[in-house]
Amino acid sequence: MELVTEKSLSQNIFSDYVEKPSLFSNKKSLTAAFIPSKIPHRDSEITQLTAVLAPALRGYHINNVFIYGTCGTGKTICSRFVISQLEDMARKNKNRIKTVYINCKMKKVADTEYRLFAQLLKELGETVPDTGLPTDVLYRKFFEQVDKDKQIMIIVLDEIDALFKKVGDDFLYNLTRINTELKNSSLAIIGITNDLSFRDKLDIRVKSSLSEEEMLFKPYNALQLKNILEERVNNGFTAGVVDEAVLNKCAALAAQEHGDARRALDLLRVAGEIAERLGETSITEEHVDIAEEKIDMDRVTETVKTQPKQSQAVLYSILKLNTELKAKEKWVDSRLLTGDIYSMYKQICVNNNLKQLTQRRVSDLISELDMLSIITTKVISKGRYGRTRDISLAVNEHVLEKITKFLTEKFG
DNA sequence: AGTCCACAGGAAGGGCAGGCGA
DNA sequence: TCGCCTGCCCTTCCTGTGGACT
């Protein structure tokens, strides 16, 4: 204790951190949000998108674009890159082009039809209340704002499937229809989705107008991922911190995850953070291993902690039933089924003085947990004994331990 | 071949909180 | 203040269904 006091008198407690050279030179460039000056292995996609958007610089109407591809294949970054280049050129040439980027998955921002239009209006400089106005009023205001001046408006709707799942495709129909009514301006939509089957789920009219141009982003292979990482390493880390073996490992791990570049970057960045915290001067493959586990752990525990109480209670029922089944001899044959989970859930509600929701609602909560990748469910038929969902946990032992501890403290 | 179970999951609508305009 | 609108969470009612059993 005395030692600390002595040290703090002579030296600031943060001085070690400040004085020690950092492994990072520009940590920002190791995040998915960073737009690099060069995007490897996406030349043809960038060329294609540029060709679609270029007529805007001559004041011509441009086609709607529909971009799809799995997670981390560069859809967002390429779109943002091309858009930013277009903005630059428009500024130089004094073209009237307005671009808006919106992520439809952002909670409380654009996850409903109302919020999407409220956000669009905000981007156009008009603020509307978070709730209270009829949707058609928002449509009208949006229409007026777009058509106020002669301009070309490009709206990038990222993760468009998330909004579609919640509210259907009416908003897309309305957005694409607005274009035919505009007198001065022209509106183009770039829809981006990770869901490869999304296009087929759309109404035929929406499908044909949204996918005037279509682009598919293929997953990166390990070699391409390595190139991408190399590009970022030069920017983000101080020289000599990352060796080739580490890059190979991050690339290989991410390649297993459907060629997800975001995953590769996360692994590298978190490995760097771990190494720095441990006071090491370079990143090793072991740091990458720890990073892999940490990323999964953080994602799941954070998700669980931020779930509403009812959803947590349902998850706790699943965990508890899972432990009980495991404790029994023949747990291998046993399954976690909706009915059993609902019985357990009711018991937990009684014990915790929690309002009991109906089975219908609990069924939806189970689906939501599935969507969050905390559990996986499969609809099975047991013939004479009905149809139900076979539920299993989708997290590893370490994560399971952590969330069980958290939920037991809350409900146990 | 027909029955029937135990749900899945769609549709409609209730109740609530919050905001707007008259 | 009131009527009307929204999103959100939830219930109620309903139809659909795969396959073991009869």
Side-chain angles (χ1 to χ4, degrees):
Chain A
M1 192 62 198
E2 209 167 299
L3 193 73
V4 175
T5 320
E6 260 174 39
K7 194 177 179 184
S8 60
L9 279 172
S10 59
Q11 208 179 3
N12 186 289
I13 52 171
F14 288 105
S15 55
D16 274 358
Y17 179 84
V18 177
E19 281 158 20
K20 207 190 291 166
S22 171
L23 302 184
F24 297 98
S25 56
N26 178 12
K27 208 167 172 179
K28 243 187 190 170
S29 69
L30 295 163
T31 60
F34 179 77
I35 304 176
S37 54
K38 205 172 127 201
I39 302 172
H41 305 291
R42 284 294 176 248
D43 294 341
S44 67
E45 286 82 359
I46 290 172
T47 312
Q48 196 183 341
L49 190 57
T50 307
V52 175
L53 303 188
L57 291 165
R58 296 195 199 281
Y60 297 144
H61 166 77
I62 53 174
N63 285 338
N64 294 327
V65 191
F66 184 59
I67 299 175
Y68 56 108
T70 51
C71 213
T73 49
K75 301 179 298 296
T76 305
I77 201 166
C78 286
S79 313
R80 298 195 82 154
F81 174 74
V82 174
I83 289 285
S84 71
Q85 293 279 305
L86 180 75
E87 281 172 339
D88 274 355
M89 188 54 85
R91 222 170 291 131
K92 276 183 204 153
N93 290 358
K94 297 195 168 57
N95 293 105
R96 287 198 60 93
I97 297 177
K98 171 80 186 164
T99 62
V100 178
Y101 171 88
I102 288 180
N103 187 323
C104 303
K105 216 174 182 175
M106 288 276 278
K107 281 249 176 211
K108 311 281 178 195
V109 176
D111 55 347
T112 65
E113 191 176 11
Y114 185 95
R115 285 176 182 158
L116 170 67
F117 279 89
Q119 188 63 24
L120 284 170
L121 278 162
K122 197 176 161 194
E123 295 280 348
L124 291 171
E126 182 167 350
T127 40
V128 286
D130 294 342
T131 171
L133 293 179
T135 319
D136 56 315
V137 171
L138 256 69
Y139 271 114
R140 207 192 59 237
K141 280 177 184 278
F142 175 68
F143 180 87
E144 283 166 6
Q145 278 294 333
V146 174
D147 214 27
K148 202 167 63 181
D149 304 303
K150 187 173 169 57
Q151 62 175 343
I152 289 173
M153 182 155 183
I154 301 168
I155 302 174
V156 184
L157 295 176
D158 204 350
E159 311 218 37
I160 198 170
D161 50 305
L163 186 52
F164 168 77
K165 268 183 205 145
K166 271 190 95 170
V167 301
D169 55 9
D170 276 0
F171 76 98
L172 278 171
Y173 177 71
N174 290 327
L175 262 179
T176 47
R177 202 193 49 185
I178 277 179
N179 208 17
T180 61
E181 292 168 20
L182 291 168
K183 288 188 182 72
N184 303 314
S185 311
S186 146
L187 175 75
I189 296 163
I190 301 179
I192 303 177
T193 175
N194 296 329
D195 182 353
L196 300 180
S197 63
F198 172 69
R199 198 180 152 278
D200 302 326
K201 295 174 191 160
L202 292 171
D203 180 281
I204 186 90
R205 291 166 302 176
V206 177
K207 196 190 330 188
S208 64
S209 60
L210 184 64
S211 30
E212 289 168 333
E213 307 277 351
E214 269 187 16
M215 292 173 67
L216 171 67
F217 279 59
K218 293 201 184 102
Y220 296 109
N221 61 34
L223 204 64
Q224 292 172 328
L225 286 169
K226 195 182 158 196
N227 290 152
I228 292 169
L229 289 180
E230 278 166 347
E231 196 74 30
R232 300 283 187 115
V233 162
N234 295 335
N235 249 314
F237 286 103
T238 42
V241 166
V242 187
D243 68 20
E244 187 149 354
V246 168
L247 283 187
N248 284 337
K249 180 144 195 172
C250 291
L253 286 173
Q256 284 168 20
E257 300 249 343
H258 334 287
D260 184 344
R262 194 174 304 174
R263 175 81 176 179
L265 272 174
D266 284 346
L267 279 169
L268 192 59
R269 191 189 64 252
V270 174
E273 285 167 357
I274 289 163
E276 191 164 73
R277 228 167 271 174
L278 293 172
E280 312 270 347
T281 51
S282 66
I283 303 171
T284 65
E285 290 180 66
E286 285 74 51
H287 296 142
V288 180
D289 285 330
I290 304 171
E292 193 186 18
E293 190 154 305
K294 185 176 185 306
I295 290 170
D296 287 340
M297 173 89 85
D298 288 355
R299 181 188 67 81
V300 178
T301 49
E302 211 38 53
T303 315
V304 170
K305 282 180 185 169
T306 52
Q307 283 305 296
K309 207 168 180 184
Q310 289 288 356
S311 180
Q312 290 178 343
V314 173
L315 181 59
Y316 183 59
S317 319
I318 296 170
L319 294 178
K320 207 168 173 198
L321 207 59
N322 186 53
T323 322
E324 281 183 12
L325 286 180
K326 263 192 183 176
K328 283 184 191 162
E329 288 277 310
K330 286 184 171 180
W331 74 276
V332 182
D333 299 332
S334 315
R335 284 165 155 172
L336 293 168
L337 308 173
T338 308
D340 300 336
I341 285 163
Y342 188 61
S343 310
M344 176 63 83
Y345 161 81
K346 283 197 285 191
Q347 202 181 310
I348 287 163
C349 285
V350 172
N351 295 345
N352 288 277
N353 212 4
L354 200 63
K355 191 190 166 214
Q356 262 182 42
L357 302 180
T358 55
Q359 182 155 338
R360 178 71 189 85
R361 180 65 190 140
V362 169
S363 170
D364 276 347
L365 292 178
I366 291 173
S367 297
E368 282 168 27
L369 289 172
D370 186 11
M371 280 205 288
L372 293 168
S373 303
I374 297 170
I375 59 171
T376 49
T377 71
K378 199 175 131 200
V379 178
I380 54 159
S381 172
K382 296 195 297 157
R384 186 76 173 74
Y385 305 102
R387 246 159 77 89
T388 181
R389 260 191 299 209
D390 185 11
I391 296 157
S392 53
L393 288 154
V395 292
N396 68 39
E397 282 298 317
H398 290 108
V399 181
L400 194 63
E401 224 171 82
K402 200 164 175 186
I403 55 177
T404 308
K405 187 167 171 266
F406 169 76
L407 292 173
T408 311
E409 275 166 18
K410 201 157 183 178
F411 300 104

